[in-house]
Amino acid sequence: MATPEPIENHGIVGDLNTVALVALDGTVDFFCFPRFDSPSVFAALLDAERGGHFQICPEFNGHSRHRQLYLPDSNILLTRILSSDGVVEISDFMPVEEAMNAHNLVRRVKSVRGEISFRMECAPRFNYARSPHRCERQDNDVLFISEGPDKTVLRLHSSVPLTVENGNAVASFRLRANETASFVLEDGRQQRGCNAHDFVSESFKRTLDYWRRWIGHCRYQGRWQEIVRRSALTLKLLVSQPHGSLLAAPTFGLPEVLGGSRNWDYRYTWIRDASFTIYALMRLGYTEEAGAFNRWIEQRCHEVAEGSSLQIMYGLDGRHDLTEETLDHLAGYAGSRPVRIGNGAYGQLQLDIQGELMDSIYLYDKWGEPISHGLWKSLVPLLEWVCKHWQEPDEGIWETRQGRQHFLYSRLMCWVALDRGLRIARKRSFPAPLAKWIEVRDRIFNEIHTQFWDEKRQAFVQFPGSTAVDASCLLMPLVKFIGPTDPQWLSTLKVIGEKLVDDSLVHRYDHDHGTGDPETAREGTFNMCTFWYAECLARGGDPLQGRYVFEKMLGYGNHLGLFGEETGATGEQLGNFPQAFTHLGLISAAYALDRALNAESTKSR
C-alpha cells in the first residue's frame, strides 16, 4: 500500500459503536472492531505495511482528482475520484439500526462516467496487527478468522467474485457507466448470508432516513447552521449507544507533534468533557443523549470509594483500568513513535475534573430533569473531598507528565465544583454543609485573585510565581468566575492575545516559559482554545473580532468540516481525529457569537 493520506484527508462513518476512517483515495485505513476501544483491524494510517486496509481503487491511466462530501444532513460519506478516463463514486456508511449486533461496514462503488476497471483489496490485520489469521471461503464470501486472543471473525460479502491472496480478499472487476459493485464487511460470527446488492440498497435508505430524522431535531437556527449541524452529527458518531458515554476521539497513536512521542490513545471518556457535552447537547435540543450521558456520569459517582475522588477518564463502559502499553511493531504515523494504546494518565491527579463534573450535573438539573436524591448523596462526599484537597498541586488539564504544580485552572474548577454544589443544594433544598462550602469557595476565589494575579503583567498566570499565561484561563468568564467585561479579565485577554495568539489561532500556553518538554516548542495551536478565545471576545463586547477569529478557525477544518486536536504550522491537522472537545467548543462559540451579533445588530437599529 502507498503512503497513507494525511490525517485531515479523512472522513468518518460509524454506527454508534465504532467508526471507520475513510481516506480521500477511497481507502479505509483505520477501523477498530466491533467497538471504539476494540483492537484495530485496519490501521494503515499508523503503519502502511503492517496495519491493514480496505482499498477500492479505480485503475486510471492518467491523473485523477479526489473529492469527499457527506450526503446532506447525514453521516453517509461519498468519495469521488475524477479522471479523464471516467468518474467514480464510493459510498461508505454503517447502518445504525444494525448497530447493536452487526456493525456492518458498507461500501458501494459506482462508475458515474466511463467503463472503468477496479481492484479491491480487503486486508485486515487483527489485534493491532499482532495476531495472524486464516481465510475461509463460503460461496462468494470470505471469512477472516483471527488466530490470536481476540477471536475476531470478519465476513466480507461481495457482489463481484472474490479471490484470496496472501490472507487478503481481492477482486478485479470492471463497471460500465451507472453500474455498481457492493461490499459488506460484518461480524463473521453471525449467520446472515445476505445478498450484498439488496442489503446495501435497503440499508442505505434506512441509514439516510435515520440520520435525517436525528438531525431534524436540532434546534440551532443561528448563523453557521451547516457547520454546527456537522459538528452535531460528528459528536453523535462519537457517542457509545450501549453506554451513553462520549469518547474524546475515535483514534489512538496520532501525534500531537510530527515525529514526536505524544501519541496517546483517546478512545475513552474524560470527565473533563462532561459539562461541555451536556451544554452542547441541551442547547442543540438532544435531551435524550444528554440524559444518557448524565446517567453514565451518575454511575461513576456511585462507584467512588469513601475518601476518594473520580478518575479523570474511564472506559466507555465505565471500566477503571486503562493500562497503557506501546505497540513497538507499528511504524507510527509519519514515523511518530511509540504508538500507544491504553492511557496512563487515568491515574493522574487532576483537580479540575470535580468542577466539570458538578457543572455538568448543575446544567442537567437546570435544563434537563431534576437530579435524584441518590445522586446528591454521592456528590456530597466528592465536594467534601474538594474542600480537603483543593490546595494540593496536580498534573493539570494538559497532562504534560512533567510533574505536579499549583495550576490556576485546577483552582478555578475547584471553585466551580463548590459553587455549583451550592447552587444545586439551594435550588433543591438538599441537605449540605453550606457554611463550610461557602467558606472554602470564597477562600479559593480570594486566592486566585491574589496569588494567581501578576500585577506587573496585569494578567492571571498559570501558577503562583509564574509570568506565563495559559489558554485554559479562557474558561474563567465562561464558567462565570469573573465577568466577561471585568477590567482584570479584559487585561488578561489582551495578554493572551499578545502571547498565545498566532494569526487568530491560540497556543495552549506560553512557550517562552517552557514546560520541561522539548516537544512543546514544536506543537501546533489548540483548536478548542481558539474557539474559547472567539467566545470570550464575543462575551467581552467585541463580537466582530470574535467572528473574525471564529471564521478564520473554520477555514482550518478539513474538507468535511472535521477538526483534530491541533493545527500545525502549515495548516495540517494533528492529534487524534476528529476530536470531540474541539467540536463542542465550536458549538458553544457559535451560540455565543450568534447571540452577541444579534444583540449588536439590535443596538445599531
Side-chain angles (χ1 to χ4, degrees):
M1 180 184 168
T3 302
E5 292 274 1
I7 294 169
E8 62 269 21
N9 285 6
H10 288 82
I12 64 169
V13 296
D15 68 351
L16 313 184
N17 281 262
T18 189
V19 303
L21 270 64
V22 186
L24 263 172
D25 65 2
T27 301
V28 176
D29 57 14
F30 190 94
F31 183 45
C32 293
F33 182 88
R35 299 177 305 277
F36 295 109
D37 53 359
S38 297
S40 63
V41 294
F42 303 133
L45 188 58
L46 297 169
D47 191 317
E49 298 300 320
R50 300 181 185 88
H53 61 270
F54 189 171
Q55 189 174 55
I56 300 175
C57 183
E59 297 180 328
F60 289 140
N61 293 318
H63 173 73
S64 60
R65 292 175 294 121
H66 302 253
R67 300 287 186 270
Q68 265 184 344
L69 68 153
Y70 284 107
L71 283 182
D73 292 338
S74 84
N75 279 316
I76 295 178
L77 184 66
L78 268 60
T79 303
R80 288 181 179 148
I81 305 174
L82 306 96
S83 166
S84 58
D85 297 331
V87 176
V88 168
E89 190 170 83
I90 303 171
S91 305
D92 286 290
F93 63 96
M94 296 186 72
V96 177
E97 292 178 349
E98 315 290 331
M100 296 306 292
N101 49 28
H103 313 295
N104 298 313
L105 174 59
V106 179
R107 315 202 70 195
R108 179 168 63 184
V109 58
K110 177 181 179 181
S111 172
V112 176
R113 188 175 300 119
E115 186 172 344
I116 302 168
S117 296
F118 293 84
R119 176 178 170 83
M120 184 285 302
E121 184 174 72
C122 182
R125 299 294 181 263
F126 293 96
N127 189 26
Y128 303 109
R130 294 182 295 190
S131 296
H133 71 277
R134 70 181 193 276
C135 295
E136 291 182 4
R137 298 293 301 271
Q138 289 185 351
D139 300 323
N140 195 42
D141 298 345
V142 172
L143 278 177
F144 303 95
I145 304 167
S146 172
E147 297 182 341
D150 50 312
K151 306 297 184 186
T152 305
V153 181
L154 291 174
R155 178 189 289 110
L156 179 66
H157 298 292
S158 171
S159 64
V160 298
L162 298 173
T163 61
V164 175
E165 298 178 7
N166 301 318
N168 307 327
V170 176
S172 294
F173 55 98
R174 192 167 181 84
L175 298 177
R176 299 186 183 91
N178 294 318
E179 289 184 337
T180 64
S182 301
F183 305 92
V184 181
L185 188 67
E186 67 171 17
D187 190 337
R189 292 168 297 185
Q190 301 196 36
Q191 301 300 315
R192 293 186 57 90
C194 70
N195 178 290
H197 248 331
D198 293 343
F199 174 80
V200 170
S201 295
E202 293 167 7
S203 61
F204 181 94
K205 294 173 186 175
R206 291 198 305 270
T207 304
L208 184 60
D209 288 345
Y210 172 87
W211 287 115
R212 289 184 171 171
R213 280 197 308 272
W214 187 84
I215 199 62
H217 294 291
C218 181
R219 290 203 305 241
Y220 185 75
Q221 299 296 322
R223 298 167 177 83
W224 311 291
Q225 276 190 50
E226 185 174 349
I227 192 66
V228 168
R229 288 161 76 93
R230 175 50 52 198
S231 287
L233 285 161
T234 302
L235 290 172
K236 179 63 174 174
L237 281 177
L238 303 184
V239 171
S240 170
Q241 188 178 64
H243 306 294
S245 48
L246 175 80
L247 77 163
T251 56
F252 63 88
L254 296 181
E256 295 180 12
V257 176
L258 288 179
S261 61
R262 291 183 187 167
N263 315 312
W264 315 117
D265 187 348
Y266 271 23
R267 297 172 300 157
Y268 307 112
T269 298
W270 268 251
I271 295 295
R272 181 175 294 117
D273 298 2
S275 61
F276 301 92
T277 301
I278 296 292
Y279 175 84
L281 291 172
M282 296 298 291
R283 282 294 194 189
L284 293 174
Y286 295 111
T287 54
E288 182 179 335
E289 284 81 359
F293 190 47
N294 191 70
R295 288 190 292 275
W296 183 90
I297 289 172
E298 182 171 351
Q299 290 168 357
R300 306 291 78 75
C301 293
H302 292 326
E303 294 167 357
V304 177
E306 186 175 352
S308 299
S309 177
L310 291 159
Q311 291 184 184
I312 71 167
M313 71 180 90
Y314 295 86
L316 295 174
D317 58 359
R319 73 183 185 280
H320 293 215
D321 185 1
L322 308 177
T323 300
E324 186 174 295
E325 59 180 302
T326 60
L327 302 177
D328 294 328
H329 62 290
L330 294 180
Y333 177 88
S336 304
R337 302 182 71 193
V339 175
R340 293 182 175 89
I341 54 173
N343 198 310
Y346 80 96
Q348 287 189 356
L349 175 65
Q350 295 180 19
L351 294 169
D352 65 281
I353 64 166
Q354 321 301 328
E356 285 101 358
L357 170 81
M358 290 304 304
D359 199 32
S360 71
I361 293 171
Y362 166 74
L363 291 171
Y364 189 71
D365 183 76
K366 181 178 180 180
W367 290 336
E369 298 176 346
I371 66 169
S372 67
H373 174 241
L375 175 56
W376 180 251
K377 286 171 64 179
S378 294
L379 295 176
V380 171
L382 288 172
L383 291 169
E384 289 291 285
W385 188 93
V386 172
C387 290
K388 185 176 181 180
H389 295 277
W390 67 271
Q391 290 180 301
E392 295 179 8
D394 70 342
E395 273 89 1
I397 181 176
W398 303 124
E399 300 174 10
T400 59
R401 306 194 185 192
Q402 299 298 312
R404 295 182 178 183
Q405 185 56 265
H406 293 275
F407 289 108
L408 167 63
Y409 183 73
S410 300
R411 288 285 198 280
L412 169 69
M413 297 311 289
C414 285
W415 178 90
V416 169
L418 293 167
D419 179 76
R420 301 314 191 256
L422 287 163
R423 292 182 188 220
I424 295 171
R426 286 166 171 159
K427 178 186 176 184
R428 300 290 308 283
S429 298
F430 281 139
L434 299 182
K436 178 182 179 182
W437 291 359
I438 290 170
E439 189 269 334
V440 176
R441 181 198 63 178
D442 293 349
R443 282 178 60 197
I444 298 172
F445 182 91
N446 290 327
E447 181 178 288
I448 289 174
H449 277 279
T450 54
Q451 296 187 31
F452 290 85
W453 174 257
D454 186 307
E455 189 66 33
K456 182 177 180 181
R457 202 166 198 185
Q458 288 291 292
F460 290 103
V461 292
Q462 190 175 42
F463 52 85
S466 169
T467 57
V469 287
D470 187 319
S472 63
C473 80
L474 288 165
L475 288 170
M476 293 177 77
L478 306 189
V479 298
K480 304 186 186 307
F481 175 84
I482 194 169
T485 58
D486 186 290
Q488 278 186 293
W489 172 247
L490 292 178
S491 175
T492 300
L493 190 61
K494 181 175 183 291
V495 175
I496 288 173
E498 293 168 352
K499 298 301 297 182
L500 301 186
V501 179
D502 180 7
D503 191 32
S504 298
L505 306 182
V506 181
H507 291 276
R508 58 178 173 169
Y509 40 59
D510 192 343
H511 293 162
D512 290 346
H513 294 263
T515 63
D517 186 341
E519 292 184 21
T520 296
R522 297 192 291 126
E523 73 180 18
T525 53
F526 267 61
N527 297 332
M528 63 182 177
C529 296
T530 303
F531 287 123
W532 294 346
Y533 182 56
E535 183 168 354
C536 284
L537 289 168
R539 291 173 181 262
D542 196 354
L544 293 179
Q545 181 64 19
R547 179 175 191 165
Y548 175 79
V549 170
F550 181 80
E551 293 185 337
K552 197 152 191 177
M553 182 67 234
L554 294 184
Y556 284 97
N558 84 343
H559 56 288
L560 297 167
L562 304 181
F563 292 87
E565 186 173 27
E566 299 180 28
T567 298
T570 57
E572 72 275 17
Q573 297 280 339
L574 293 172
N576 287 298
F577 178 88
Q579 195 193 49
F581 217 161
T582 301
H583 287 275
L584 291 166
L586 185 157
I587 291 169
S588 182
Y591 262 100
L593 280 164
D594 187 64
R595 186 168 53 245
L597 290 167
N598 287 342
E600 194 83 2
S601 176
T602 301
K603 281 193 300 186
S604 64
R605 289 175 184 169

